[in-house]
Amino acid sequence: MRTAALIAGGMAALALAACDPPLEPADAPKDTGAETASLPEGFSNDLSADVSGYYRPTTEVRQASWRLDHVFLGQTQDFAAWENGAREGRFAPVMLEFVDESSPTVQTESGEIHTGRVRVLPRFYSLEKGMLRFVGVSDELGVVRLDAQLNGDALATARRNLGEEGSVLNGTLSIGQGAPQAVGFRWWAGD
């Protein structure tokens, strides 16, 4: 009888232990479900001119091993298509691309490049009166926010001179839990 009581007590303890959540290491990624639930959603623009191209940081912007490579802005028809629901693959009229500098490298005709890249697509963007607001989420980086003002005159000069003229987009960028960083971008037409 005493053995039966011990077995019953042991079974009850095991049942209660199964109810506790599993232990996770302190550096385990946190569930961002609640964090992303409160993020804005939607897309809008009031573009009347072409602002398409790549916007490359004027200074290095990074979070751990991830470095911001560029912000991409599409053509007006890309914005219209996206806002009307046409979404294909890993392309959006506004996206940020990051490079993992701890990833392996490969040799290309342009030189050695890192193989680890993340393209952050928008959950929300607004490009109105020259103000770009972007919110995207990536598994690797968490929530990415960009608020930046586009300087139309500086952009026109950079486009006339085929880029690399100086900063045309300036604002703040926050990556994951990192503090917002001041950022500036040069316009580049691409390859």
Side-chain angles (χ1 to χ4, degrees), residues 42-62:
F43 313 103
S44 64
N45 82 85
D46 66 358
L47 292 173
S48 59
D50 183 17
V51 297
S52 64
Y54 296 87
Y55 293 77
R56 304 186 97 167
T58 56
T59 59
E60 186 174 89
V61 178
R62 68 172 44 251

Side-chain angles (χ1 to χ4, degrees), residues 109-130:
E109 60 187 40
S110 301
E112 197 172 75
I113 63 166
H114 288 278
T115 56
R117 291 187 169 277
V118 168
R119 184 176 285 175
V120 181
L121 300 182
R123 175 186 175 105
F124 165 84
Y125 72 72
S126 170
L127 182 48
E128 297 177 352
K129 296 182 177 138

Side-chain angles (χ1 to χ4, degrees), residues 39-44 82 94 96 121-128 131-137 144-147:
L39 293 176
E41 293 185 76
F43 313 103
S44 64
W82 182 272
V94 182
L96 282 66
L121 300 182
R123 175 186 175 105
F124 165 84
Y125 72 72
S126 170
L127 182 48
E128 297 177 352
M131 185 67 183
L132 171 62
R133 297 187 187 284
F134 171 96
V135 178
V137 179
V144 176
R145 295 176 188 264
L146 174 65
D147 293 300

Side-chain angles (χ1 to χ4, degrees), residues 52-56 70 72 162-164 186-191:
S52 64
Y54 296 87
Y55 293 77
R56 304 186 97 167
H70 65 270
F72 170 81
L162 301 177
E164 300 298 323
R186 289 185 181 98
W187 179 83
W188 179 60
D191 291 333

Side-chain angles (χ1 to χ4, degrees), residues 79-189:
F79 282 91
W82 182 272
E83 291 165 20
N84 288 320
R87 313 238 164 80
E88 296 180 21
R90 300 285 305 154
F91 175 82
V94 182
M95 47 191 179
L96 282 66
E97 188 161 316
F98 292 84
V99 174
D100 180 0
E101 294 196 328
S102 69
S103 67
T105 57
V106 294
Q107 188 65 39
T108 68
E109 60 187 40
S110 301
E112 197 172 75
I113 63 166
H114 288 278
T115 56
R117 291 187 169 277
V118 168
R119 184 176 285 175
V120 181
L121 300 182
R123 175 186 175 105
F124 165 84
Y125 72 72
S126 170
L127 182 48
E128 297 177 352
K129 296 182 177 138
M131 185 67 183
L132 171 62
R133 297 187 187 284
F134 171 96
V135 178
V137 179
S138 104
D139 291 340
E140 296 82 358
L141 299 164
V143 177
V144 176
R145 295 176 188 264
L146 174 65
D147 293 300
Q149 183 69 47
L150 188 61
N151 180 326
D153 292 338
L155 177 60
T157 300
R159 290 175 73 94
R160 261 192 319 276
N161 296 321
L162 301 177
E164 300 298 323
E165 286 297 309
S167 187
V168 301
L169 182 66
N170 294 288
T172 59
L173 174 71
S174 59
I175 306 166
Q177 299 299 317
Q181 305 174 54
V183 291
F185 298 91
R186 289 185 181 98
W187 179 83
W188 179 60

